[in-house]
């Protein structure tokens, strides 16, 4: 591949900070990542930029559908790869669910624009047919997602599947060189969610307030009080008061949070093996 500094210079272009553009200077960190994908199915690439990942996947005979917000690079890639690539000039966050269904998208990869990493993760995991997500993210964010407790996004990720591999990538693999190192995380869906919408509400709510126990959170967090459905839990909250008063959301693992949720809602198991 051509070094991004050369591509940018030849087109008199700059990397846009506002779109989180730090382009891969080599494909070495990608080697082996393709083993997670089914060659029979397309791979959706988020933010292809100058096409380092796109080229790598196409050379491995994958059918790639790329979604790039920057018109300049969407146009560039169309010319570069011609018929071997479908490029869409869109904001990934605005793609409707129908898009994923129509294109039978089950596997996604992207060196993510750091300013919307969490939004992208939430959107991807919310698409029920997507079962593999290979994401390049900032190392610190990756480390938080690997935490067993204390981070609501990590628990959200865990509620849908597991991180099956992570690999560090030095910031020197990008141009312009970002301030921090990066990481590849491979996430696989392996859970079937019975009542995810309420569990998501629960997860978002329990991290409210510093050092608050779950009883305070459940009775005082205005967020819970605003969601009428959670009123159904009131009787169980009272009955579980002693237990809930000893627990803090930020200290609980996914399994522990899941147990509390199931006792609270009195519902059937939240998660079953996929
Ligand atoms: N994949 C390329 C690589 O690894 O060299 C570029 C990665 S760069 C970190 C992020 C890419 O995402 C940029 O090309 C940027 O223009 C694009 N991008 C930023 N926001 C986006 C959005 N909302 N939807 C789609 N692409 C976006």
């Amino acid at each position: 591949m051509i070094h991004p500094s050369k591509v940018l210079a030849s087109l008199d272009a700059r990397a846009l900070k506002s779109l989180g553009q730090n382009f891969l200077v080599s494909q070495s960190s990608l080697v082996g990542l393709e083993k997670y994908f089914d060659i029979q199915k397309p791979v959706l690439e988020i933010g292809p930029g100058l096409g380092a990942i796109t080229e790598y996947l196409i050379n491995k005979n994958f059918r790639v559908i790329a979604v790039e917000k920057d018109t300049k690079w969407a146009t560039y890639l169309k010319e570069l790869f011609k018929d071997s690539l479908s490029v869409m000039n869109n904001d990934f966050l605005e793609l409707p669910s129908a898009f994923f269904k129509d294109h039978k998208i089950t596997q996604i990869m992207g060196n993510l624009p750091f300013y919307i990493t969490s939004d992208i993760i939430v959107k991807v995991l919310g698409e029920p047919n997507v079962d593999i997500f290979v994401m390049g993210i900032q190392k610190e964010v990756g480390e938080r997602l690997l935490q067993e407790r204390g981070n609501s996004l990590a628990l959200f990720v865990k509620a849908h599947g597991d991180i099956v591999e992570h690999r560090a990538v030095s910031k020197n693999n990008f141009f312009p060189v970002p301030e921090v190192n990066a990481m590849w995380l491979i996430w696989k869906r392996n859970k079937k969610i019975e009542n995810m919408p309420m569990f998501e509400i629960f997860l978002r709510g329990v991290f409210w307030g510093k050092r608050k126990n779950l009883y305070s959170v459940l009775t005082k967090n205005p967020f819970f009080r605003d969601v009428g459905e959670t009123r159904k839990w009131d009787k169980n909250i009272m009955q579980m008061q002693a237990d809930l008063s000893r627990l803090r959301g930020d200290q609980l693992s996914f399994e522990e949070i899941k147990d509390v949720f199931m006792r609270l809602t009195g519902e059937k198991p939240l998660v079953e093996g996929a």
Side-chain angles (χ1 to χ4, degrees), residues 19-24 47-49 68-69 91-92 111 113 115-116:
L19 285 179
Q21 292 180 346
N22 298 99
F23 303 112
L24 276 170
E68 172 57 61
K69 184 169 179 178
D91 182 333
F92 175 77
N111 171 24
Y115 71 107
I116 44 170

Side-chain angles (χ1 to χ4, degrees), residues 1 4 16 18-25 30 45-54 67-70 73 88 90-94 110-116 120 136 174-175 184:
M1 60 176 278
L16 297 181
S18 60
L19 285 179
Q21 292 180 346
N22 298 99
F23 303 112
L24 276 170
V25 300
L30 309 177
E45 188 188 351
I46 304 170
L50 306 187
I53 299 170
T54 326
V67 182
E68 172 57 61
K69 184 169 179 178
D70 191 332
W73 301 126
M88 299 181 49
N90 278 91
D91 182 333
F92 175 77
L93 293 177
E94 286 175 7
N111 171 24
L112 306 184
F114 67 91
Y115 71 107
I116 44 170
I120 291 179
F174 303 93
F175 180 86
W184 281 110

Side-chain angles (χ1 to χ4, degrees), residues 177-197:
V177 179
E179 281 166 23
V180 295
N181 290 318
M183 196 188 260
W184 281 110
L185 281 191
I186 297 95
W187 173 90
K188 248 185 187 179
R189 190 184 301 277
N190 61 5
K191 299 189 181 100
K192 178 166 166 267
I193 310 297
E194 293 290 339
N195 46 359
M196 196 60 195

Side-chain angles (χ1 to χ4, degrees), residues 82-267:
K82 306 242 164 28
D83 290 346
S84 18
L85 174 71
S86 312
V87 194
M88 299 181 49
N89 183 201
N90 278 91
D91 182 333
F92 175 77
L93 293 177
E94 286 175 7
L95 290 182
S97 256
F99 170 87
F100 295 84
K101 289 198 190 80
D102 293 349
H103 291 84
K104 298 194 170 41
I105 302 297
T106 59
Q107 36 195 23
I108 300 189
M109 180 163 183
N111 171 24
L112 306 184
F114 67 91
Y115 71 107
I116 44 170
T117 301
S118 310
D119 293 338
I120 291 179
I121 293 174
V122 170
K123 183 172 173 77
V124 168
L125 272 53
E127 282 305 325
N129 295 327
V130 174
D131 48 26
I132 282 287
F133 185 25
V134 177
M135 52 182 132
I137 57 182
Q138 291 184 335
K139 181 168 168 266
E140 285 72 13
V141 179
E143 281 168 352
R144 265 182 262 138
L145 291 183
L146 290 165
Q147 271 175 223
E148 281 291 319
R149 47 198 90 216
N151 184 278
S152 60
L153 188 61
L155 292 173
F156 173 81
V157 166
K158 191 111 184 156
H160 292 270
D162 279 314
I163 292 164
V164 293
E165 189 191 328
H166 59 98
R167 44 170 94 163
V169 187
S170 157
K171 59 185 179 182
N172 296 318
N173 275 272
F174 303 93
F175 180 86
V177 179
E179 281 166 23
V180 295
N181 290 318
M183 196 188 260
W184 281 110
L185 281 191
I186 297 95
W187 173 90
K188 248 185 187 179
R189 190 184 301 277
N190 61 5
K191 299 189 181 100
K192 178 166 166 267
I193 310 297
E194 293 290 339
N195 46 359
M196 196 60 195
M198 284 314 280
F199 185 63
E200 282 181 8
I201 287 170
F202 182 66
L203 260 189
R204 248 184 286 150
V206 295
F207 282 84
W208 174 76
K210 278 224 165 7
R211 301 179 187 288
K212 293 235 182 345
N213 68 59
L214 280 191
Y215 182 75
S216 302
V217 172
L218 284 160
T219 50
K220 301 204 181 94
N221 183 350
F223 173 78
F224 278 130
R225 310 322 291 166
D226 290 348
V227 181
E229 281 259 319
T230 64
R231 299 281 160 92
K232 286 199 278 187
W233 305 345
D234 282 355
K235 199 166 131 244
N236 289 349
I237 292 174
M238 292 309 147
Q239 275 173 3
M240 292 164 64
Q241 179 172 1
D243 279 357
L244 292 172
S245 302
R246 280 194 292 272
L247 302 173
R248 268 174 39 192
D250 60 356
Q251 293 176 337
L252 299 179
S253 69
F254 172 69
E255 291 300 324
E256 291 160 341
I257 290 225
K258 192 183 85 181
D259 282 352
V260 174
F261 177 75
M262 277 158 51
R263 284 175 60 200
L264 195 64
T265 57
E267 290 190 32

